Amino acid sequence: MSETTSETTPGIEQARGLTRPAGRLEPRLAALLSWGTWIACAVIAVGLVTSGRIAALGIALVIALPVVRVVVMLGWYVRVRDLRLAAICGGVLTILLLGLALGAAG
């Protein structure tokens, strides 16, 4: 009996060319969102004790985290030359920024 491992035998995803170098992206995004959330919560807590403006800054940080995530993903996909996913991230970022601009104007 011979044993096959994932190192010697490519999986179905690899054989079909469906694997992406995004494996390293997900832990980075998780760390970004985790640290960002903790920092925003700390700023909000300090703001609740000291002043409302600092708390508002913490809330703005929580709101900004998804936008920062899309920016990081866009940069990553451009770097690894995955133009299809980069275009999708660019479209999502455009929609987010357009919503921010329209919300601020109206």
Side-chain angles (χ1 to χ4, degrees), residues 4-73:
T4 58
T5 64
S6 61
E7 294 176 356
T8 58
T9 306
I12 293 173
E13 293 84 12
Q14 288 176 328
R16 293 182 182 164
L18 298 176
T19 58
R20 300 201 183 283
R24 293 177 291 170
L25 173 63
E26 289 147 1
R28 291 177 184 187
L29 287 175
L32 170 75
L33 295 174
S34 178
W35 279 102
T37 302
W38 280 108
I39 291 169
C41 288
V43 171
I44 291 170
V46 168
L48 292 175
V49 173
T50 58
S51 79
R53 288 185 184 209
I54 295 175
L57 175 65
I59 292 170
L61 287 172
V62 169
I63 294 170
L65 277 173
V67 177
V68 172
R69 176 188 172 141
V70 173
V71 169
V72 169
M73 290 173 68

